[in-house]
Amino acid sequence: MNYYFNKIISGNFDQIVEKVTEELKKEGFGILTEIDIKATLKKKLDVDFYNYRILGACNPPFAYKALQAEDKIGAMLPCNVIVQEREKGIIEVSAVDPAASMSAVENETLRKVAAEVRDKLKSVIDNI
């Protein structure tokens, strides 16, 4: 079982980050964190890296359901979506598959929530 799903598209990196953010909003997700790996690695290690952004996405109603089902599940939240440009103009967008990442937790209610979140994240990836 893959732990993520992805899509490769052509375009401008920053515009695609904006498009991903818009599609996440359409599915009820907000961005709690945004980590610019390229800038962080340059600042901390003085190394050059390609454009790589981690978006920590959260859908509050589903996060609440998950926390009600399993109080330690916060260790796996938020759902990360990455946007990376390994080649100029070729962008890969990947999202964690919450059903895969939460399968280790033996909780049927949580599995149902994870499956619903998976469908929403898959829709985001499909719509970019």
Side-chain angles (χ1 to χ4, degrees):
M1 173 188 279
N2 266 345
Y3 64 92
Y4 67 94
F5 30 88
N6 67 327
K7 185 175 192 177
I8 297 174
I9 55 177
S10 298
N12 174 277
F13 180 80
D14 291 324
Q15 289 175 347
I16 291 174
V17 171
E18 288 178 27
K19 175 69 173 164
V20 170
T21 301
E22 289 170 19
E23 291 298 327
L24 284 164
K25 284 181 186 175
K26 289 179 187 176
E27 292 294 334
F29 292 88
I31 304 299
L32 296 178
T33 59
E34 185 170 334
I35 303 168
D36 184 338
I37 295 295
K38 179 179 180 175
T40 300
L41 292 177
K42 185 64 174 175
K43 180 179 178 181
K44 300 290 185 182
L45 301 176
D46 195 29
V47 296
D48 293 320
F49 201 72
Y50 56 89
N51 287 322
Y52 192 113
R53 197 90 37 96
I54 301 171
L55 305 174
C58 178
N59 182 305
F62 284 105
Y64 180 60
K65 286 181 186 178
L67 289 163
Q68 286 180 308
E70 186 74 37
D71 69 327
K72 307 300 184 288
I73 208 62
M76 296 180 158
L77 300 176
C79 296
N80 284 331
V81 177
I82 62 171
V83 182
Q84 59 178 317
E85 181 180 35
R86 297 189 77 150
E87 295 180 42
K88 186 72 174 159
I90 305 298
I91 316 297
E92 180 179 9
V93 181
S94 307
V96 67
D97 180 348
S101 64
M102 295 185 188
S103 65
V105 181
E106 295 179 12
N107 182 315
E108 187 58 35
T109 301
L110 184 61
R111 281 194 194 119
K112 290 176 184 175
V113 172
E116 290 180 82
V117 174
R118 178 190 193 279
D119 291 345
K120 289 187 167 295
L121 289 172
K122 185 82 172 95
S123 180
V124 168
I125 298 296
D126 290 343
N127 290 329
I128 55 167

